[in-house]
Amino acid sequence: MLHKRFLLRRRFFFVLLGLGAALTPLMLNYYVNAVTSSRRYTDISQVPEEDVAVVFGAGVWEDGSPTPMLADRVQAAVDLYKEGRVRKLLMTGDNSSEDYNEVKAMQEYAAERGVPAKDIQLDYAGFSTYESCYRAKEIFGVKQAVLITQSYHLPRAVYTCRQLGVDAVGLGTPDWEKYRDRSMMRYAGREVLAVIKALWEVHVTRPEPTFLGPFEGIK
């Protein structure tokens, strides 16, 4: 009888352990969503005016052109710029090899739509959301900004930048309502884990980015 009770208690313990492991990531994601909710927008007309918009990279095709998600982000930045709500665009993304250059694609897309070159700043070493936020403050001197990315990614971006010293709000571009559910389920699943990594980085390890370099400022 005692052995049976022991087995039941052990089984109950492992069930609780499994539930905790499953629920903790969801709770952490809920927390990040909740604490950034008042700082995220989907309507350009509601976005507070700031000097700088930070646009995050989102991949380019083999011919160097932006993926649809990246094009949406840059288009939102162009619209924000033309509305007079920001005066500079900081394009941050991956240029880790000669044949892969997100920020060049972003720059060209914005320039073709009327944003002057003098108002576009490029960060070639924004290899992750964390590194982009870190470098925005330490390399480009950004203290306040509008962050532009898809809505599913925006809570993590706003939270990370704010924890790293950038007083950020965010403009979320369409995602679930625009892209295939299968794709969005994959992105959303990865985002759950990415939020955990972000919390670990900003609250525990605070690693320096891959490349830091000298201060450049926003010209």
Side-chain angles (χ1 to χ4, degrees):
M1 188 69 176
L2 288 174
H3 180 65
K4 187 176 181 180
R5 286 183 180 176
F6 173 76
L7 290 176
L8 287 173
R9 287 177 180 175
R10 188 172 70 171
R11 185 178 300 172
F12 182 65
F13 170 77
F14 282 115
V15 168
L16 286 180
L17 193 64
L19 285 173
L23 291 176
T24 297
L26 298 178
M27 292 171 63
L28 292 175
N29 275 260
Y30 177 81
Y31 165 74
V32 169
N33 271 273
V35 298
T36 62
S37 61
S38 65
R39 307 189 68 83
R40 293 184 277 118
Y41 305 88
T42 56
D43 185 343
I44 285 179
S45 66
Q46 296 178 349
V47 177
E49 293 185 14
E50 295 288 358
D51 284 342
V52 181
V54 179
V55 192
F56 294 85
V60 293
W61 299 120
E62 287 187 5
D63 64 358
S65 62
T67 60
M69 276 195 167
L70 182 56
D72 282 351
R73 295 179 187 188
V74 181
Q75 185 61 58
V78 171
D79 294 342
L80 204 62
Y81 176 88
K82 290 186 174 181
E83 287 284 327
R85 294 189 175 274
V86 295
R87 64 179 188 85
K88 298 285 184 178
L89 305 181
L90 174 59
M91 309 296 197
T92 176
D94 187 345
N95 179 209
S96 55
S97 64
E98 290 185 7
D99 58 354
Y100 191 85
N101 194 334
E102 289 181 341
V103 290
K104 180 183 177 184
M106 297 160 78
Q107 179 189 40
E108 290 176 348
Y109 190 98
E112 288 168 2
R113 284 152 183 79
V115 179
K118 66 180 179 63
D119 290 336
I120 302 174
Q121 189 88 24
L122 304 181
D123 175 13
Y124 296 96
F127 301 135
S128 68
T129 302
Y130 176 87
E131 295 197 35
S132 291
C133 291
Y134 195 118
R135 286 175 54 83
K137 182 174 185 293
E138 299 300 328
I139 301 299
F140 298 97
V142 176
K143 296 180 179 178
Q144 294 178 292
V146 180
L147 312 182
I148 302 178
T149 184
Q150 270 71 36
S151 293
Y152 81 91
H153 171 230
L154 194 58
R156 174 164 61 97
V158 171
Y159 187 89
T160 300
C161 275
R162 287 182 59 76
Q163 292 299 318
L164 292 175
V166 178
D167 186 10
V169 297
L171 174 62
T173 62
D175 43 38
W176 282 96
E177 62 270 40
K178 182 167 185 178
Y179 299 101
R180 292 183 302 177
D181 286 350
R182 182 180 298 178
S183 297
M184 287 309 307
M185 287 176 68
R186 186 171 69 253
Y187 294 139
R190 288 195 310 220
E191 189 64 17
V192 170
L193 300 178
V195 165
I196 298 172
K197 180 174 181 283
L199 290 168
W200 180 258
E201 287 176 329
V202 299
H203 293 299
V204 181
T205 59
R206 284 288 177 112
E208 286 194 352
T210 307
F211 298 107
L212 199 52
F215 182 80
E216 295 184 29
I218 298 287
K219 301 177 178 64

